[in-house]
Amino acid sequence: MSDSFVLPEGLPKPIADDLDGPYWAAAARGELVAQRCSACGTWQWTAEYICHQCHSFDLGFEPIPGEARIFSWQRPHHPVHPVLVEACPYVVVLVEFADADGIRMVGNLVDPPEGDIPIGAKVEPVFEHHEGEPAYTLVQWRLA
C-alpha cells in the first residue's frame, strides 16, 4: 500500500477482460492507449467489440496521439463509497484528446489546486500502480 495514491485503498478493483485487457496491460507498462478501428481509423473509448463509426469488428489498441486537456471536472464533497469519507473532497476530471476524434477519459486529478480548475488546461497521465492480487494500474491526471 502506498500513501501516494489519489484515493485510498479499499475501492473496488478493476478487472481486465478480453475486451479491455490491452488497455490495462499498457497502463501497467506506463503507456496510454485507446481502441482504434483498423478499417476506418476512428478512435473510441471505452472499448467495445464493434466500431461505432463503420461497424467493423477489426479493432485494436494504439498509443493516443496529441495532448489531453480538461473537458470538465467536479469536486465531490460527499463520499460515494464508505472508504472515501476521509478522502473528500477530491477532483474528478474528464479529459479529451482532440487528435484522437475527441475521445474522453475519466480519472482523478493529482495535487489539484484550490478553487476552479481551468477548462482546457493541458494534463498528463500519471500511472498509479497498485500491488496485490490482482495488481492493477490506474491512470490519473496531473496539470502539465
Side-chain angles (χ1 to χ4, degrees), residues 42-122:
T42 298
W43 291 90
Q44 63 184 31
W45 186 254
T46 60
E48 298 286 345
Y49 288 106
I50 190 169
C51 174
H52 296 175
Q53 183 67 34
C54 73
H55 304 141
S56 169
F57 291 97
D58 190 10
L59 297 159
F61 285 81
E62 297 181 18
I64 304 172
E67 299 174 341
R69 294 192 176 268
I70 292 178
F71 180 82
S72 184
W73 66 276
Q74 71 174 46
R75 190 181 315 261
H77 289 269
H78 301 285
V80 295
H81 189 278
V83 77
L84 295 174
V85 169
E86 299 298 322
C88 289
Y90 54 92
V91 173
V92 179
V93 291
L94 180 63
V95 302
E96 182 178 66
F97 296 86
D99 294 339
D101 298 324
I103 61 171
R104 298 176 186 153
M105 293 184 167
V106 175
N108 298 293
L109 192 62
V110 176
D111 300 325
E114 297 289 327
D116 290 344
I117 310 295
I119 298 298
K122 183 179 172 185

Side-chain angles (χ1 to χ4, degrees), residues 115-136:
D116 290 344
I117 310 295
I119 298 298
K122 183 179 172 185
V123 290
E124 59 188 17
V126 175
F127 297 94
E128 192 179 86
H129 303 285
H130 293 253
E131 297 178 358
E133 189 58 40
Y136 60 96

